[in-house]
Amino acid sequence: MNIETENIPRKLEGKFGAMVVCCILGVGQLVAWNTILTISDYYYQVFPEYHPLRVLTLVYQPFVLGTIFILVFMGKKKKNQKQIAIGYTIFFIGSLLLIILDVATKGEGTLLAYIFLCSIVACFGMANAHVEGAMLGELSFMCPEFIQSFVAGLGVAGAITSALRLVTKAAFDKSPNGLRKGALLFLAFSTLIEFICMVLYIYMFPKLPIVKHYYAKAESNHVEADETKITQLGNKETLENTNLVHGICFNLIPLHPLVLVASYNVWDAFSRYIPLSKHLKIESIKWITSCVLVRFLFVPAFYFTAQSADQGWMVLLTSLLGLTNGYLTVCILANKPKSKYNVLETDALGNLLVSFMLGGIFAGVCLGWLWQIGTKSSF
């Protein structure tokens, strides 16, 4: 007992650093796609006839959803560090290729360039599926603070891109070819972030003492499972009881096809840190489910606000939407399941929960086309 007690401080060394790295990795998991969305006005200028924003979204989401479903149904047989490293490498190479594509074509919107752009976006979708589910599964076997930091990073990615968009608009608004300059700056920023994430995860994260401790614990769990021939729970058993409700709630949160604006991203990022306080964290799945269902009231609220209220009320509603989205997402992911899972099952659970979330996002993307009925808008 004395020896184990003496080892506890050593195990906890690097916890804060690991939380910072997890947050940066969360930013990198989403910043590439956020960049595509943010510079969509530039792509509309380059490819005015190809409806880029909605087409690229419909290219991206099926590849995310398809890849995560493949990972779910294939099951998890080994450690996923390699899978995550591959995902961040794809993000980095894809972001770099977007810059090369624009420089090589000099911003001219040819059909071949558009096909190449769609291919890169499809690769982003596969990278997203490889990283997010595996990261959540891996961090679930560590400590809740790591999950909260990673999920918070997803919100921070939106806030950063929104802030950078305001800066580039102000800097290049009146300069010649300013839209393209701003887009290239965004792509350079995204490429740098993805390179940092790739290096952090491959070389720095595994060397932190607390991470080494959890990796060693996971390895012993693998060995124990092999020696005792423990049967890993299947997808159906993993989602039973609380986890099934977790998945359904996760599916419903991102369903509304509403425009992401700066106020949404800022409050979404801020709210992901609220559950760090145990007094402000919802742990009852009944309350979480109720809050998720109540969020559907945003649909009529946005409709009537758009019809009869001023812009201030719309900003308030959008802020509340981001606030509840980030807060409930962290509460669901950081909520401890009733059953105790081994490392193999936590990996599978991460992919399962992310597949529910991506299903909700994809449904929202498809429903977003309903807004085009009866309109001539290109957006």
Side-chain angles (χ1 to χ4, degrees), residues 11 13-26 80-82 84-85 88 134-143 145-147 149-150 196-216:
K11 293 176 182 177
E13 285 183 11
K15 183 176 182 180
F16 179 76
M19 290 174 63
V20 173
V21 172
C22 287
C23 183
I24 296 174
L25 292 175
N80 54 16
Q81 287 93 330
K82 184 177 180 180
I84 297 171
Y88 281 116
M135 279 295 296
L136 291 176
E138 180 171 295
L139 298 179
S140 294
F141 199 71
M142 297 185 184
C143 60
E145 290 83 357
F146 290 177
I147 296 180
S149 296
F150 178 77
I196 292 174
C197 288
M198 182 178 64
V199 173
L200 282 178
Y201 184 79
I202 295 175
Y203 296 106
M204 181 177 175
F205 189 66
K207 295 180 180 179
L208 296 173
I210 189 171
V211 176
K212 285 183 177 180
H213 163 66
Y214 283 117
Y215 276 169

Side-chain angles (χ1 to χ4, degrees), residues 280-305:
L280 299 176
K281 179 182 175 182
I282 300 177
E283 295 185 348
S284 169
I285 190 60
K286 292 182 180 179
W287 277 104
I288 292 175
T289 305
S290 300
C291 292
V292 170
L293 294 176
V294 167
R295 292 182 81 247
F296 278 97
L297 294 176
F298 276 115
V299 176
F302 270 99
Y303 175 78
F304 289 113
T305 300

Side-chain angles (χ1 to χ4, degrees), residues 220-353:
S220 65
N221 194 283
H222 277 282
V223 174
E224 181 183 354
D226 292 337
E227 290 178 350
T228 58
K229 297 183 179 179
I230 296 176
T231 303
Q232 180 184 348
L233 294 178
N235 293 331
K236 181 180 178 181
E237 292 79 8
T238 305
L239 278 177
E240 280 182 350
N241 301 325
T242 301
N243 292 316
L244 179 58
V245 183
H246 274 65
I248 294 173
C249 291
F250 214 27
N251 178 272
L252 294 178
I253 283 179
L255 188 62
H256 312 299
L258 303 172
V259 179
L260 297 176
V261 293
S263 59
Y264 174 94
N265 288 325
V266 170
W267 283 104
D268 177 68
F270 169 76
S271 64
R272 291 169 189 256
Y273 288 96
I274 295 177
L276 287 175
S277 172
K278 294 183 179 180
H279 299 291
L280 299 176
K281 179 182 175 182
I282 300 177
E283 295 185 348
S284 169
I285 190 60
K286 292 182 180 179
W287 277 104
I288 292 175
T289 305
S290 300
C291 292
V292 170
L293 294 176
V294 167
R295 292 182 81 247
F296 278 97
L297 294 176
F298 276 115
V299 176
F302 270 99
Y303 175 78
F304 289 113
T305 300
Q307 294 293 321
S308 57
D310 57 25
Q311 294 182 357
W313 286 104
M314 185 64 74
V315 172
L316 176 62
L317 272 179
T318 305
S319 299
L320 289 174
L321 186 71
L323 183 70
T324 55
N325 182 79
Y327 176 75
L328 290 173
T329 297
V330 174
C331 286
I332 293 172
L333 289 176
N335 203 335
K336 293 182 179 179
K338 292 181 178 179
S339 303
K340 185 177 180 180
Y341 298 112
N342 60 41
V343 64
L344 295 174
E345 291 157 357
T346 55
D347 289 346
L349 182 59
N351 284 331
L352 285 166
L353 289 178

